[in-house]
């Protein structure tokens, strides 16, 4: 299938699919004319890529872990033992980022709670 069909079947823009290829996440065959040719396996790969992106992994990380992820009846399952440790590190990184954002929100809440009422209107006769 061509890139437009892959985009239609996955709901991902052609631009994003080209980006995935640039990042080494997809490797379509090329016709003599230069057109990309994708397979049904690429539909599944795009689905895995989107889930991993939504899980907070960068495209560079996905390049490394994608060969170790299998789709088991709609669930992504790590297939390489070392991958679980890497995913746990990623979860810890995200947890730390959440903690920092919650602290930032608490600081803003404190500042907002300490606000003064509106300043009295002063009328100046000119």
């Amino acid at each position: 299938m061509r890139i437009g069909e892959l985009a239609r079947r996955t709901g991902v823009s052609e631009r994003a699919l080209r980006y995935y290829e640039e990042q080494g996440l997809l490797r379509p065959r090329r016709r003599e004319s230069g057109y990309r040719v994708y397979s049904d396996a690429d539909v599944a790969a795009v689905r895995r890529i989107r889930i991993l992106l939504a899980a907070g992994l960068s495209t560079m990380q996905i390049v490394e872990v994608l060969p170790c992820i299998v789709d088991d009846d709609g669930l992504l399952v790590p297939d390489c033992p070392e991958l679980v440790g890497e995913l746990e590190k990623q979860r810890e990184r995200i947890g730390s980022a959440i903690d920092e954002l919650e602290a930032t929100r608490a600081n803003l809440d404190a500042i907002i709670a300490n606000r003064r009422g509106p300043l009295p209107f002063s009328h100046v006769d000119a």
Side-chain angles (χ1 to χ4, degrees), residues 25-26 40-50 66:
L25 297 170
L26 293 175
D40 287 333
D42 291 316
V43 174
V46 169
R47 179 184 170 281
R48 290 190 303 273
I49 291 165
R50 300 298 288 183
L66 198 56

Side-chain angles (χ1 to χ4, degrees), residues 75-91:
L75 298 174
L76 295 190
V77 178
D79 196 37
C80 303
E82 66 276 6
L83 179 58
V84 174
E86 291 302 314
L87 294 175
E88 287 172 343
K89 287 179 190 175
Q90 178 69 7
R91 185 181 59 207

Side-chain angles (χ1 to χ4, degrees), residues 18-57:
R18 287 187 198 97
Y19 176 74
Y20 296 165
E21 182 182 355
E22 288 171 12
Q23 298 301 305
L25 297 170
L26 293 175
R27 292 189 175 92
R29 289 185 306 108
R30 292 279 186 157
R31 291 186 177 165
E32 287 182 24
S33 61
Y35 285 109
R36 295 167 177 85
V37 179
Y38 296 92
S39 68
D40 287 333
D42 291 316
V43 174
V46 169
R47 179 184 170 281
R48 290 190 303 273
I49 291 165
R50 300 298 288 183
I51 291 170
L52 293 169
L53 285 169
L57 276 69

